[in-house]
Amino acid sequence: MKSQIGYFKTNIQVLKFDNIKDIDKIIFNHYITKKVNYNNMNGNLPKGQFYISNGTVSKDLNISIGKAKRLIKNFKELNIIQLVQLGNTDNKPSVYEYSNNIDLGYDLGHNLGSDIKEASNSNNLCLLDEHIYDTGDDIENCHSKKNNINNNKIVSCVVDYLNKKTGKRFKKASVKTKNLINARLNEGFDEEDFYRVINIKSKQWLYTEMEKYLRPETLFSNKFEGYLNEEVDINEDIDDLNDIKPFDIEFDF
């Protein structure tokens, strides 16, 4: 993002909030802009960015995890914040960027410029890899690529991530897998939720007798919400399976 002097301006969508009906959103916007301003003055992230997780929002604002998650998701859908780097647990929060609608179409933390059409046609736009934004003449119609991405692309990204975490070779074209993922998407879950479930169950089941259940029909079934809300202690991400040794596994007898 271009260097900004002083404090960030409020996103135009926030000005549309109702003072009574949207009080939670107003409080949340104040909360995240404080994080942005603190980082701008003292942090190690680029200007306009900040760390956040469902757990920290819940604790700092004294609200439920579910409500914290809904606020973050809503602000993403309104294009007030954009995900820059996905975290995996509350111990490793995600990095977001606050959009103040300045120079939209070039800025937002990415050098879109004349390359926007080429970038938007990329075949590798997984949420974990990169974030491309399509812009139009009307700011209200400016949505992140994630909002416009079709379900088939999300299926492809999720299956790729599952294969990476487990060392397996599930096929993206599987009708059963597509139906399971689409069913969860239709229930309101998003791409990040799939990655979290994969992370949680990989940590619990890899190198155990439960490893055989690290498969789409188990992970993305009607038990998905339960897996998503499990509290587990994940101190580090399992991105490189070569770094995992059998003696790192803890067994409960």
Side-chain angles (χ1 to χ4, degrees):
M1 178 171 282
K2 295 178 181 177
S3 296
Q4 303 288 334
I5 299 175
Y7 294 97
F8 255 43
K9 295 183 179 179
T10 298
N11 185 286
I12 192 172
Q13 297 288 358
V14 176
L15 302 179
K16 301 176 184 178
F17 289 164
D18 185 277
N19 289 338
I20 297 176
K21 296 180 180 179
D22 297 321
I23 187 64
D24 289 336
K25 295 178 183 177
I26 294 172
I27 292 172
F28 182 62
N29 181 73
H30 178 69
Y31 170 74
I32 60 178
T33 53
K34 283 179 65 178
K35 284 184 170 291
V36 171
N37 288 325
Y38 178 83
N39 177 72
N40 287 352
M41 293 183 292
N42 305 297
N44 57 359
L45 294 173
K47 288 186 180 296
Q49 297 182 8
F50 58 98
Y51 292 107
I52 201 172
S53 70
N54 296 333
T56 56
V57 174
S58 173
K59 180 179 179 180
D60 293 344
L61 298 183
N62 194 28
I63 58 177
S64 68
I65 290 286
K67 188 171 186 178
K69 181 178 176 180
R70 287 192 296 273
L71 284 169
I72 294 173
K73 182 177 181 180
N74 185 245
F75 270 52
K76 285 162 57 182
E77 292 172 345
L78 290 173
N79 203 38
I80 298 174
I81 60 176
Q82 292 87 31
L83 182 65
V84 174
Q85 181 178 346
L86 181 68
N88 293 296
T89 69
D90 290 340
N91 294 326
K92 186 178 180 182
S94 297
V95 177
Y96 282 88
E97 183 170 34
Y98 189 92
S99 168
N100 55 16
N101 308 121
I102 294 176
D103 199 12
L104 198 59
Y106 174 84
D107 227 330
L108 290 179
H110 304 273
N111 293 324
L112 300 182
S114 60
D115 297 329
I116 187 169
K117 291 184 179 179
E118 178 181 351
S120 296
N121 292 326
S122 168
N123 290 322
N124 298 304
L125 295 178
C126 290
L127 178 63
L128 288 176
D129 297 333
E130 56 182 317
H131 300 79
I132 304 298
Y133 301 89
D134 289 333
T135 59
D137 295 330
D138 188 345
I139 285 178
E140 290 188 27
N141 294 324
C142 176
H143 300 288
S144 71
K145 186 67 179 180
K146 176 173 177 282
N147 290 339
N148 294 327
I149 200 167
N150 58 44
N151 284 6
N152 285 336
K153 189 60 194 177
I154 295 179
V155 170
S156 177
C157 292
V158 169
V159 173
D160 277 344
Y161 191 68
L162 177 60
N163 287 338
K164 176 184 177 183
K165 298 290 282 189
T166 63
K168 299 184 180 183
R169 300 175 64 183
F170 295 108
K171 296 188 179 297
K172 307 172 189 177
S174 167
V175 174
K176 180 185 288 187
T177 297
K178 286 183 177 180
N179 289 341
L180 285 168
I181 294 176
N182 286 333
R184 305 292 80 80
L185 291 171
N186 291 336
E187 290 173 352
F189 297 103
D190 58 29
E191 190 177 345
E192 291 176 65
D193 294 330
F194 289 93
Y195 299 137
R196 176 167 175 79
V197 166
I198 292 169
N199 287 335
I200 289 172
K201 304 315 289 185
S202 293
K203 182 68 175 181
Q204 293 176 341
W205 291 349
L206 270 176
Y207 298 105
T208 74
E209 62 181 11
M210 297 295 290
E211 183 174 359
K212 61 186 177 182
Y213 295 113
L214 289 172
R215 59 189 184 182
E217 56 262 47
T218 300
L219 299 178
F220 311 144
S221 67
N222 55 10
K223 295 182 179 180
F224 184 82
E225 185 174 14
Y227 294 150
L228 181 64
N229 287 283
E230 287 182 3
E231 295 293 333
V232 293
D233 181 17
I234 306 177
N235 294 319
E236 57 181 313
D237 187 18
I238 313 173
D239 276 334
D240 188 349
L241 293 173
N242 293 323
D243 290 339
I244 303 174
K245 299 178 178 57
F247 298 105
D248 292 333
I249 310 297
E250 293 183 0
F251 295 90
D252 293 324
F253 293 99

